[in-house]
Amino acid sequence: MTLSVGPQHPGSGHFRLIITVDGDIIVKAEPDPGYVHRGEEKMAEVRNYIQNIPHIERPSIIDASGILYPYVLAVEDLLGKSAPERAQYIRMIMAELNRITSHLYFLSIFGIFLGHSTMFMWPMGDREVFIDLSQMIGGTRITFSHFVPGGVRSDAPDSFADKAEKTCDYFEGRLKEYERIFVNNPLCHQRTVGVGVLTKEDAIKLGVVGPSLRASGVKSDTRRDEPYDAYDKVDFEVPVYSEGDSYARLRVHFDEMRQSMSIIRQCIKQMPKGPVKQKLPPQLRPPAGEAYARTEAARGAMAYYIVSDGGNYPYRLKMNVASFRNLIAIPYLLKGVHLADMPTVYWGLDYWPVEADK
Amino acid sequence: MSAQSSLEQSLVQQLSSQFKDSVRSSSFKAKRFKITVDETIILKVAEYIRDQLGFDHAASVTGTDFPKDGVIEVVYHFTSYSKDDLRKVVGALAVRIPRDSPKIPSLINVWPSVEYHERETYEMLGVTFEGHPNLKRLLLPEDWSDIPPLRKDFTLPGR
Amino acid sequence: MPIENFEDFIKRVLEIVFWVLVFSPLVIFPLIFIVLPSMMGLIGIMIPGPIGVNDILAALADPLKSIPIMTEFMKTDFFKIAVFPGFTWAALIATGAILIERKLLAKMQLRVGPLYAGKFEGVLQPIADLLKLIAKEIIIPRRADKLAFWCIPFAAMAVGGALLAIVPVSKQWVVTNLDVGLVVAFAIMSFFPIIALVAGWASNSKYPFLGGLRALHQMVSYEIPLLLSALGVAVLAGSLNLVKIVETQSSIPFLLVQPLGAIVFFIALMAELERIPFDLPEAEPELVAGWMTEMSGMLFGVTQLAVYVKFYALAGLFTTLYLGGWYGPQILPPEMAEANAVIWFTVKTLAVMVLMMVPRGTMTRIRIDLMLKAGWGRLLFLAFVNIFIAIVVVQLGIVPR
C-alpha cells in the first residue's frame, strides 16, 4: 500500500514522503520536497548584500543566526575584512543560543512524535527563556537579522551576563528533569534504541551532517574542524556516539545543549570591550571572486558559496543547507523500519523542510 | 605561507601534475582550493580525488551561469570526514560546459551524496547529469514550463 | 412594522416575547397535561391511585407533591437506562473526565489548561467544545460507505452504553443484574474492534483503515489477558454475577488478594481503551487520528463521547472487580446508605480513571510489534499465573466464599 505522508499530515511538515508499506514495514520511501521553495538563491541575485540578510534567514527561523552566519562570513571573506573581536563573541553567543532553541524545538517534536506530550510542552516552554535571552541582544524574538558583514548590528546590554548565567543554571536543572522523564524512560529506549541505524561508513558516504553525523560516530564539527570567529579560543567537547540510531541522535542533541551553554559562559567571560561593527560602506561591492564559507549551525554544516562579479549584487549565491544534505538519508534510513518509527527516524535526522527547500 | 596553505598548494599541484593537459585553471587560498578541468575527464578526476587524496564526500553541487562566455560552470564542493587533516579543507572541482547543451557525466557513483544536489542543479540550471538514475524535478512545481530559473536570462517579474 | 433601527428591533423582540408568554399557558400547559400522563403509562410509572390533570396541576403549584411521582419514576427501568446509572450519568462523568484529563495533563506539563470558559478554571470548557462541534460541518468523504459511516458513532455509543447497563453502581442501582454479567461484559467488549475496523473501512481512506487494523490487532490480543485476569476474580467470588462479586468483597477488596491480576487487568484495560501508551490506533504522527481521521463535526463528537463513556464503564468494571465496588466507610448519615454507596463507587471509578490518565503525561507510545509481544508473551503468562494463585487461595480457604 502506498501512503502519501504529507504535506498535510501531523508528522511531516511542509514536505511529502511517498511511502510504500508492506504490512507495517516500509519498503520504499521517496521524498518529495519543494512545497515551500521560495527561490532564495534567485532572490539573492537581485538584492544587494545587505538586503539579502533578512530574507536569507527566513528558511530557518528557528535557527536564524545559524543560517545567516556563513553568509556573513562568506561576504567578509570576499571583502577581505573581519569583524571586531567583541562582535565575534556576540555572534558566537547568538549562534549558540539559537542552537539551544533549535535543539529544544527538536526535542519537543521528537517527544510528540513518540506520543510523549509532556516532552512536547516542556522544551517549548523552556525555549522561551532562551528566546528572551537572545531578544536582549538581537532585539526580536526569532528572526534577528543581527549579523551584518563586518560585525553585528547591536551590542549586548550590560545586564546580559547575569541573566544568561541565571538562565543557564536554571536550564541545567531542567535538562536533568528531561532526562528523567524522557531520555531515561524505558519506553523511550524501547522505541528509539536500534531504530534507524546509520552506520559510520554510510554516514560518511552519504555526506550526512550535524548531530546525525556525530551520532554515527564521526567526530566532525565545523567549529572544531575549521574554527571560525573565536571558536578556537573556547573550550568545548564534540559529543559523539557510535550507535547511529535514533537514541544516539537524541543524546547528541542533549549533550550539544550542555556544550552550548558552556560556550556561552566562556564567551561572556572572555568577551573584550570594544566596537561591535566595522565601518563599511553602505553599498558593499566585493571584488570579483568567489568564497565558500561554512559554519556549524544547529542542524549541521551550513555553507554558502558566493560568486561576485564586483557588483552590488551577488552574481551567484548558493545556499548549501544542512537539511538538504540530510535529505538523502531519509529514504535510505526509512527502508525496512516500522511505520510507527517513521516520524522518529525522519525527525531525528534534523530535516527541516523549509530550510531544505530554500 | 603557513603549513596550511602548503597543504592546499600540494593538493593542487598533485592534481595538476596528474591531469596535466586537462586542467584548465587552478587556484588556492587558505583552506580552499579550486580546480577546473575538462568535462570529459571529470569522472577520473573525481575518482582520483576520492581514492588518492581522500576526500570522501561531496558537500554540494552547484552551477553558475555565465551568459557572456556562453558557459555554465558546474562546481562540486567536496571535503572529508575520515581524514583529520583534510577536514578543514574544502575543495572545488569545476567544469565549464557550453550553455546551449549542458551535459556532464554524473558523479553519483563516485560520491553518492550528490544525488539530490545534482537533481537540484538539473532543474535550476538545466544541466543534464548523464548516468544519474533519478534525474527528476525536485523543488520546482510539477507544471513548471519556463526556462530553468537560475539561468541569468530568467528574470524575476518586477526586477 | 419595518425594522429601521435598533429601537424598533428591541420593540419587536419584546412584542414577540409578550405574545409567547400570553399564548404558551394556553397551548403548552394543556399539552403537558394531556401528554404527560399518557407518557407515564408508556414508560411504566405506576402511580398509586387515580391521577388526573388536577394532581399534576397541584404538583406544578407545589413541587413537594411531585416527589411521589418522581420516586415512582426513579424506580422504572427507563430512568435507570436513561438517567442514573445509565446514559446521562455516564455522559456527565465522561465530559467531566475530559475536563479533568485536560486540566491534569496541563498541570503536569506546567501549563494552565482550559481557563476561560466558566468562571472557575474553565469548568464549562466541555460545553464550549460541544457547541463548537455542533457548529461544525459534517464532511463525509465522497467515496465513503455513507450508511456505515453514519452508523459508527451511534454504534460506538450503543456498545459503550450496553456496557454501562451491567456495571452495578450500587446494589439497587444496576440496570440489569445478570447472573453471567462478567461474560456479558466481555461479549460486549468484543464489539469494539469491529466498530473501529468498520469505521476505518467505511471512511475509504488509508490512515483510518490502518488505524482500524491496528485497533483490531490490539484489542483482540489484549482481550484475552483481560478475560483471563478477570477469571481469577470469578474463581474467588464463585460467581459471574457482578453484584455478587462486589458483595464478596465486602470485607476485603480483591485488589489485595489478586494484585497480579489487577495489574494485568489494568494494563489490558488501558490497551482496550486505546489510552497512551497504547494509543497506536490513533498514533498522531504516523496515522493522523487513526480510525477517527475522517470523522468531523458532531460525528466525531459523539464518537469521542462514546470512547469516554466506554472509559467510564470499563473503569467501573475495574472498580467492581478489584476495588470492592460500592463498599466503603459510611460517610453520610446511616439512612442515606444508598447515596453513600453511589459516592464510593463514583470516587473509586474516578480514581481509576485518573490513574489511567497519568501515563498520558509520562509515557511514550509503544510500537505495535513490541506491544503484541508484551500482550501475548507476558500478560498472558501472568494472567495464567494469576488464575493459579486464585485457585490456591480458594483451596486454602483464605478468602471466605
Side-chain angles (χ1 to χ4, degrees):
Chain A
M1 182 160 60
T2 309
L3 286 173
S4 165
V5 180
Q8 281 142 349
H9 186 281
S12 76
H14 313 286
F15 169 67
R16 186 159 72 132
L17 267 171
I18 301 158
I19 285 180
T20 314
V21 287
D22 176 17
D24 203 36
I25 311 280
I26 297 172
V27 289
K28 191 177 155 227
E30 199 194 336
D32 177 17
Y35 286 90
V36 274
H37 174 65
R38 296 189 274 188
E40 294 282 347
E41 292 174 6
K42 190 72 187 175
M43 271 158 75
E45 287 176 14
V46 292
R47 282 164 176 78
N48 70 32
Y49 286 93
I50 299 295
Q51 282 174 331
N52 271 334
I53 289 174
H55 81 82
I56 267 177
E57 63 180 12
R58 284 320 190 263
S60 177
I61 55 168
I62 58 166
D63 185 20
S65 302
I67 195 168
L68 191 57
Y69 209 154
Y71 170 75
V72 176
L73 290 180
V75 176
E76 282 175 1
D77 188 7
L78 280 172
L79 289 165
K81 302 269 165 75
S82 66
E85 210 176 341
R86 186 175 172 83
Q88 294 185 359
Y89 279 106
I90 291 177
R91 277 185 196 171
M92 281 161 65
I93 291 174
M94 284 300 276
E96 297 304 323
L97 283 174
N98 252 273
R99 189 185 314 279
I100 295 174
T101 48
S102 170
H103 279 5
L104 282 173
Y105 196 97
F106 169 89
L107 283 180
S108 85
I109 303 291
F110 199 91
I112 196 67
F113 275 3
L114 283 177
H116 200 301
S117 46
T118 303
M119 199 55 198
F120 177 60
M121 297 295 174
W122 281 10
M124 280 291 184
D126 287 335
R127 190 170 159 257
E128 210 64 21
V129 297
F130 285 100
I131 285 175
D132 286 349
L133 210 55
S134 31
Q135 192 182 5
M136 287 179 82
I137 299 182
T140 54
R141 278 166 46 83
I142 39 178
T143 48
F144 313 103
S145 304
H146 184 241
F147 300 174
V148 288
V152 292
R153 238 175 355 94
S154 56
D155 200 351
D158 294 337
S159 55
F160 178 78
D162 279 351
K163 189 150 184 226
E165 193 66 34
K166 263 185 218 156
T167 308
C168 289
D169 285 345
Y170 159 79
F171 189 61
E172 257 154 26
R174 289 292 286 172
L175 271 180
K176 282 189 195 114
E177 284 180 38
Y178 290 173
E179 286 190 336
R180 251 181 40 217
I181 196 169
F182 185 63
V183 181
N184 296 337
N185 188 330
L187 278 178
C188 171
H189 276 243
Q190 224 176 12
R191 284 298 304 278
T192 52
V193 173
V195 168
V197 178
L198 183 65
T199 59
K200 190 175 175 179
E201 294 72 38
D202 287 336
I204 291 171
K205 197 179 77 186
L206 298 175
V208 171
V209 290
S212 321
L213 178 72
R214 294 189 276 279
S216 295
V218 183
K219 194 168 182 172
S220 169
D221 187 321
T222 318
R223 292 174 292 175
R224 266 267 178 279
D225 298 344
E226 189 199 326
Y228 46 94
D229 279 356
Y231 273 110
D232 47 352
K233 293 176 197 155
V234 293
D235 181 38
F236 65 98
E237 298 266 312
V238 179
V240 173
Y241 287 82
S242 56
E243 292 87 355
D245 53 6
S246 284
Y247 187 64
R249 291 193 270 274
L250 177 63
R251 290 308 298 258
V252 167
H253 283 85
F254 259 90
D255 297 352
E256 280 191 4
M257 285 196 283
R258 292 219 166 88
Q259 295 305 325
S260 287
M261 281 191 288
S262 135
I263 293 175
I264 291 171
R265 284 187 167 137
Q266 291 175 43
C267 283
I268 290 170
K269 250 178 234 151
Q270 296 177 11
M271 199 157 58
K273 290 255 180 271
V276 293
K277 199 180 166 196
Q278 208 179 26
K279 275 259 182 286
L280 287 175
Q283 190 68 281
L284 299 175
R285 282 196 182 80
E290 56 180 63
Y292 185 91
R294 53 179 184 157
T295 62
E296 186 75 17
R299 291 161 196 281
M302 192 82 76
Y304 279 70
Y305 171 65
I306 302 182
V307 180
S308 164
D309 61 348
N312 283 344
Y313 303 156
Y315 187 74
R316 172 83 171 93
L317 182 142
K318 160 80 180 169
M319 300 166 84
N320 188 16
V321 288
S323 296
F324 196 71
R325 291 178 65 182
N326 280 348
L327 176 61
I328 188 169
I330 292 176
Y332 183 82
L333 283 192
L334 282 182
K335 213 174 283 172
V337 304
H338 288 268
L339 183 60
D341 288 331
M342 182 268 291
T344 22
V345 172
Y346 153 72
W347 185 254
L349 283 168
D350 256 335
Y351 182 75
W352 181 251
V354 197
E355 185 186 279
D357 287 359
K358 293 171 286 214
Chain B
M1 285 289 235
S2 63
Q4 266 183 18
S5 65
S6 69
L7 172 66
E8 288 94 43
Q9 197 171 9
S10 68
L11 287 169
V12 170
Q13 275 167 3
Q14 210 174 333
L15 277 169
S16 313
S17 59
Q18 185 73 25
F19 302 98
K20 277 187 198 90
D21 305 331
S22 312
V23 174
R24 295 288 175 79
S25 66
S26 62
S27 62
F28 65 90
K29 55 185 178 181
K31 297 171 191 163
R32 305 279 182 269
F33 71 91
K34 182 177 178 183
I35 183 155
T36 313
V37 298
D38 278 346
E39 74 264 28
T40 45
I41 62 151
I42 184 169
L43 265 171
K44 266 188 220 157
V45 180
E47 271 169 16
Y48 181 81
I49 288 171
R50 184 191 64 181
D51 298 336
Q52 307 298 320
L53 302 185
F55 287 98
D56 52 19
H57 71 281
S60 83
V61 181
T62 181
T64 316
D65 186 21
F66 293 103
K68 272 183 220 153
D69 310 343
V71 293
I72 288 177
E73 188 185 61
V74 178
V75 189
Y76 288 82
H77 284 103
F78 49 85
T79 177
S80 175
Y81 286 144
S82 38
K83 286 205 171 177
D84 282 348
D85 54 334
L86 291 183
R87 272 188 196 167
K88 56 180 174 289
V89 183
V90 179
L93 172 65
V95 285
R96 291 169 87 89
I97 46 179
R99 216 170 156 263
D100 36 358
S101 65
K103 260 187 210 162
I104 65 164
S106 167
L107 294 191
I108 193 163
N109 293 324
V110 185
W111 289 310
S113 59
V114 298
E115 181 180 351
Y116 289 93
H117 297 280
E118 282 187 349
R119 273 176 76 177
E120 193 199 356
T121 313
Y122 161 72
E123 66 171 356
M124 293 296 177
L125 282 150
V127 179
T128 310
F129 292 88
E130 284 165 336
H132 192 288
N134 194 16
L135 205 59
K136 288 193 302 192
R137 207 157 256 171
L138 189 67
L139 298 177
L140 289 180
E142 285 88 354
D143 54 351
W144 179 266
S145 55
D146 214 334
I147 57 171
L150 280 181
R151 295 238 180 149
K152 284 290 170 186
D153 44 6
F154 178 87
T155 48
L156 290 177
R159 285 272 172 181
Chain C
M1 189 176 77
I3 298 170
E4 276 166 7
N5 51 25
F6 188 65
E7 207 177 320
D8 284 352
F9 172 72
I10 295 290
K11 268 185 198 163
R12 188 68 177 273
V13 168
L14 286 179
E15 199 182 355
I16 292 170
V17 169
F18 172 77
W19 285 114
V20 166
L21 285 178
V22 168
F23 277 108
S24 58
L26 297 178
V27 180
I28 296 170
F29 287 151
L31 265 180
I32 291 175
F33 300 145
I34 296 162
V35 171
L36 205 60
S38 48
M39 278 286 289
M40 284 178 171
L42 269 180
I43 60 180
I45 298 179
M46 305 308 272
I47 294 165
I51 180 165
V53 176
N54 286 339
D55 293 328
I56 292 174
L57 266 183
L60 281 173
D62 181 5
L64 281 178
K65 287 198 173 142
S66 68
I67 288 177
I69 304 179
M70 287 311 290
T71 44
E72 276 305 312
F73 178 54
M74 282 167 74
K75 282 176 195 158
T76 58
D77 279 349
F78 178 80
F79 180 82
K80 280 181 179 169
I81 293 166
V83 188
F84 176 49
F87 186 74
T88 311
W89 173 248
L92 267 178
I93 288 201
T95 38
I98 294 174
L99 182 69
I100 291 171
E101 179 168 16
R102 291 179 67 171
K103 284 307 267 192
L104 184 78
L105 205 61
K107 299 287 175 208
M108 285 166 81
Q109 295 169 351
L110 311 179
R111 294 185 288 126
V112 286
L115 196 62
Y116 295 110
K119 288 283 175 203
F120 174 71
E121 294 281 307
V123 283
L124 296 183
Q125 189 63 38
I127 294 173
D129 286 347
L130 181 80
L131 288 176
K132 183 198 78 171
L133 284 173
I134 287 176
K136 277 194 160 186
E137 186 190 359
I138 291 176
I139 301 166
I140 295 177
R142 188 151 47 113
R143 285 151 105 196
D145 188 324
K146 283 210 175 52
L147 181 68
F149 198 77
W150 273 101
C151 286
I152 292 305
F154 305 104
M157 194 53 110
V159 173
L163 208 52
L164 286 175
I166 52 164
V167 176
V169 173
S170 77
K171 193 171 181 183
Q172 184 195 340
W173 290 116
V174 49
V175 179
T176 45
N177 186 2
L178 292 170
D179 278 346
V180 286
L182 196 55
V183 177
V184 171
F186 285 105
I188 295 169
M189 256 185 251
S190 59
F191 273 105
F192 296 142
I194 296 172
I195 285 171
L197 186 67
V198 171
W201 173 79
S203 330
N204 197 9
S205 170
K206 284 167 183 170
Y207 295 115
F209 186 60
L210 278 176
L213 283 182
R214 278 193 186 182
L216 183 73
H217 273 98
Q218 166 175 338
M219 288 177 182
V220 166
S221 57
Y222 272 65
E223 230 157 54
I224 294 159
L226 192 69
L227 182 63
L228 287 178
S229 53
L231 215 55
V233 172
V235 169
L236 284 181
S239 168
L240 291 172
N241 186 327
L242 291 173
V243 175
K244 277 205 187 115
I245 287 175
V246 176
E247 277 171 349
T248 41
Q249 298 179 63
S250 58
S251 52
I252 177 166
F254 284 153
L255 178 70
L256 302 177
V257 191
Q258 289 252 291
L260 188 63
I263 290 167
V264 174
F265 193 82
F266 189 81
I267 293 172
L269 214 54
M270 299 254 289
E272 196 73 11
L273 288 165
E274 299 176 12
R275 301 210 55 89
I276 284 178
F278 299 112
D279 70 332
L280 317 134
E282 310 160 27
E284 187 167 300
E286 68 256 23
L287 293 186
V288 192
W291 54 274
M292 287 192 269
T293 304
E294 301 289 351
M295 304 256 172
S296 54
M298 210 47 209
L299 282 186
F300 177 77
V302 173
T303 316
Q304 201 65 7
L305 185 64
V307 166
Y308 274 85
V309 165
K310 182 176 132 190
F311 184 21
Y312 161 71
L314 289 185
L317 193 64
F318 185 85
T319 312
T320 307
L321 293 183
Y322 290 102
L323 297 182
W326 58 81
Y327 286 110
Q330 189 75 24
I331 47 170
L332 292 177
E335 63 268 22
M336 296 175 80
E338 274 310 315
N340 191 51
V342 169
I343 284 172
W344 273 110
F345 177 84
T346 313
V347 166
K348 283 173 183 175
T349 308
L350 279 177
V352 173
M353 287 167 93
V354 168
L355 206 58
M356 284 188 183
M357 288 166 189
V358 170
R360 192 167 161 189
T362 56
M363 285 195 187
T364 64
R365 188 177 298 117
I366 194 170
R367 205 169 58 212
I368 187 102
D369 56 329
L370 300 171
M371 180 184 158
L372 294 183
K373 248 178 234 165
W376 290 103
R378 296 184 194 153
L379 286 188
L380 201 61
F381 172 73
L382 288 178
F384 275 121
V385 170
N386 178 61
I387 294 174
F388 286 114
I389 293 175
I391 292 170
V392 168
V393 165
V394 170
Q395 287 299 319
L396 295 179
I398 295 171
V399 174
R401 279 250 173 115

